[in-house]
Amino acid sequence: MTNQIESQFAKLKLHGMSKTWTALKETRKNQGLSFSEGLELLLQAEELERDNRRFKRLETNAAFRYKASLEELKLDKNRGLDDLMLTTLTTCEFIDKGDAVLITGATGCGKSYLASAFGHQACLKGYKVAYFNTQKLLLKTKIARLEGTIVRFFDKLAKTDLLIFDDFGLTHLDKQQQMDFMEMIEDRHSKKSTIIVSQLPVPSWYDVIGEETIADAILDRLVHSSYRIELKGESLRKKM
């Protein structure tokens, strides 16, 4: 009977139940449990196992720059990290609302790490996240257009719950990049959440985008319903 149960666990891919069943047998704790207690324990183990597998899959697919978590952040108001805002963002309600998070600050002050930590938190809560260097993402759009897959590529980005643009503003956008970036932001406006990380203050983004009309349209969709984090202080890399 025991072998048959284990075989059924394997056949149905109930890995969490299988591990817990094995542990219960080895410790003989299964003998002291009622049927309902044992079943509840096995079901809880299976749920936890599936949650963990989903998180690992989401984290891998997101391709974060850093393996970071909000629990590891050193809160320092002098660096521009507000406790209340971080607590609010930790709930990930901003993702459900389709709000943006704009993180700015000098090189090495922890912007990319913070964005990765927000993305990590989103994966823990089951959201689909994608993390991109902005220039590499725009290059991907160029390649997708040449391959004739641009519509599918944009659709995939539009369905992503949280899209993170890192290193925005390192170079000015050309005409096609302006249109591509505008389409990405338009697809997400009030529907899906976006995090943009930049060394430049937000007012300077007009110059980066270049075309005044497009810049107005993009920033109008980003700024008014966004959380703004301006990190301060010297580079953390100098302290390592």
Side-chain angles (χ1 to χ4, degrees):
M1 178 64 71
T2 297
N3 291 336
Q4 185 178 355
I5 291 174
E6 293 172 350
S7 177
Q8 285 295 101
F9 283 150
K11 183 178 180 181
L12 296 174
K13 298 182 179 180
L14 299 173
H15 305 299
M17 284 188 169
S18 180
K19 292 177 184 177
T20 302
W21 174 256
T22 300
L24 289 173
K25 278 198 314 169
E26 290 176 349
T27 58
R28 296 186 178 181
K29 290 185 177 179
N30 59 319
Q31 299 176 8
L33 296 173
S34 67
F35 175 79
S36 59
E37 289 172 338
L39 181 59
E40 182 181 8
L41 194 61
L42 292 173
L43 289 172
Q44 288 174 347
E46 184 62 30
E47 182 180 21
L48 181 60
E49 174 75 13
R50 295 190 180 195
D51 286 346
N52 288 337
R53 288 206 308 270
R54 176 173 171 77
F55 164 71
K56 290 178 181 178
R57 184 173 64 255
L58 290 171
E59 185 181 44
T60 299
N61 292 339
F64 295 119
R65 183 171 180 178
Y66 296 104
K67 189 165 186 173
S69 67
L70 293 174
E71 290 79 7
E72 296 172 345
L73 286 176
K74 295 181 180 179
L75 298 181
D76 185 347
K77 291 184 178 179
N78 294 326
R79 297 189 66 85
L81 290 173
D82 179 81
D83 292 4
L84 180 59
M85 183 183 293
L86 283 177
T87 300
T88 300
L89 293 174
T90 298
T91 66
C92 289
E93 288 184 7
F94 73 98
I95 299 177
D96 294 325
K97 296 177 181 178
D99 292 336
V101 180
L102 312 181
I103 305 174
T104 58
T107 301
C109 66
K111 303 183 301 298
S112 298
Y113 187 94
L114 181 59
S116 296
F118 286 138
H120 178 275
Q121 181 71 9
C123 287
L124 280 173
K125 291 184 175 292
Y127 294 101
K128 293 181 180 179
V129 183
Y131 190 106
F132 289 101
N133 169 280
T134 302
Q135 289 305 307
K136 290 182 179 179
L137 176 57
L138 292 173
L139 178 59
K140 283 179 178 287
T141 64
K142 182 177 182 179
I143 294 173
R145 182 170 283 102
L146 292 172
E147 294 176 343
T149 59
I150 188 65
V151 174
R152 186 163 69 246
F153 183 70
F154 276 144
D155 283 345
K156 182 178 179 181
L157 291 178
K159 293 175 182 177
T160 302
D161 298 314
L162 175 61
L163 181 59
I164 303 175
F165 295 88
D166 197 4
D167 290 328
F168 176 77
L170 294 184
T171 60
H172 290 77
L173 305 185
D174 62 30
K175 188 64 178 179
Q176 187 59 62
Q177 289 174 334
Q178 293 170 8
M179 298 303 296
D180 288 342
F181 191 63
M182 174 66 198
E183 184 161 351
M184 293 178 202
I185 298 303
E186 174 63 26
D187 285 344
R188 309 185 64 73
H189 181 52
S190 297
K191 302 171 188 174
K192 302 290 184 178
S193 187
T194 306
I195 294 178
I196 299 182
V197 180
S198 178
Q199 296 179 23
L200 302 174
V202 174
S204 297
W205 294 6
Y206 283 93
D207 295 331
V208 172
I209 297 169
E211 173 61 41
E212 183 177 353
T213 304
I214 296 177
D216 281 338
I218 291 173
L219 293 178
D220 180 67
R221 287 160 174 75
L222 286 174
V223 173
H224 298 302
S225 62
S226 67
Y227 294 88
R228 304 273 289 273
I229 301 176
E230 183 179 353
L231 295 181
K232 304 172 184 177
E234 65 176 347
S235 173
L236 296 177
R237 295 169 189 164
K238 296 179 181 179
K239 301 179 180 180
M240 295 177 65

